[in-house]
């Protein structure tokens, strides 16, 4: 999302467009987080050692970070929808 575009939102339609963009970005983060969670489970399978264990931790960390980013994007989308209700 371009900061100038987000900052320039004034009308209800502007804020709804920004909210939709945040929702789209959140969905991408959620899909990538799910992929990394699956990779963490694969690398963390019983019997795997060494590099696989560190790769599992890496994937778990990435999944957690992306999940947080998605949650924050959803919250921003909700804020812009509230701003859309207040826009004149």
């Amino acid at each position: 999302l371009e900061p100038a575009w987000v900052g320039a939102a004034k009308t209800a339609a502007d804020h709804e467009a920004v909210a939709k963009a945040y929702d789209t970005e959140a969905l991408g983060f959620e899909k990538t987080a799910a992929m990394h969670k699956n990779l963490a489970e694969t690398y963390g399978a019983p019997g795997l050692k060494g590099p696989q264990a560190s790769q599992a931790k890496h994937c778990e960390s990435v999944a957690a970070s992306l999940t947080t980013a998605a949650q924050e994007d959803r919250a921003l989308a909700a804020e812009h929808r509230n701003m859309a209700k207040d826009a004149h």
Side-chain angles (χ1 to χ4, degrees):
L1 299 171
E2 290 292 323
W5 176 65
V6 173
K10 302 284 186 260
T11 68
D14 293 343
H15 286 293
E16 184 56 35
V18 171
K20 286 181 182 178
Y22 277 120
D23 283 338
T24 299
E25 186 173 69
L27 183 59
F29 287 151
E30 290 162 349
K31 286 181 179 180
T32 306
M35 178 193 69
H36 279 278
K37 185 177 178 191
N38 288 338
L39 284 169
E41 291 169 2
T42 298
Y43 286 129
L48 296 178
K49 298 178 183 176
Q52 288 87 358
S54 67
Q55 289 168 337
K57 287 182 183 181
H58 162 80
C59 290
E60 289 168 358
S61 175
V62 170
S65 294
L66 289 168
T67 297
T68 298
Q71 292 167 343
E72 291 172 357
D73 272 2
R74 298 278 184 203
L76 288 168
E79 288 178 24
H80 276 277
R81 287 198 171 90
N82 286 334
M83 287 186 261
K85 291 176 188 173
D86 295 337
H88 303 317

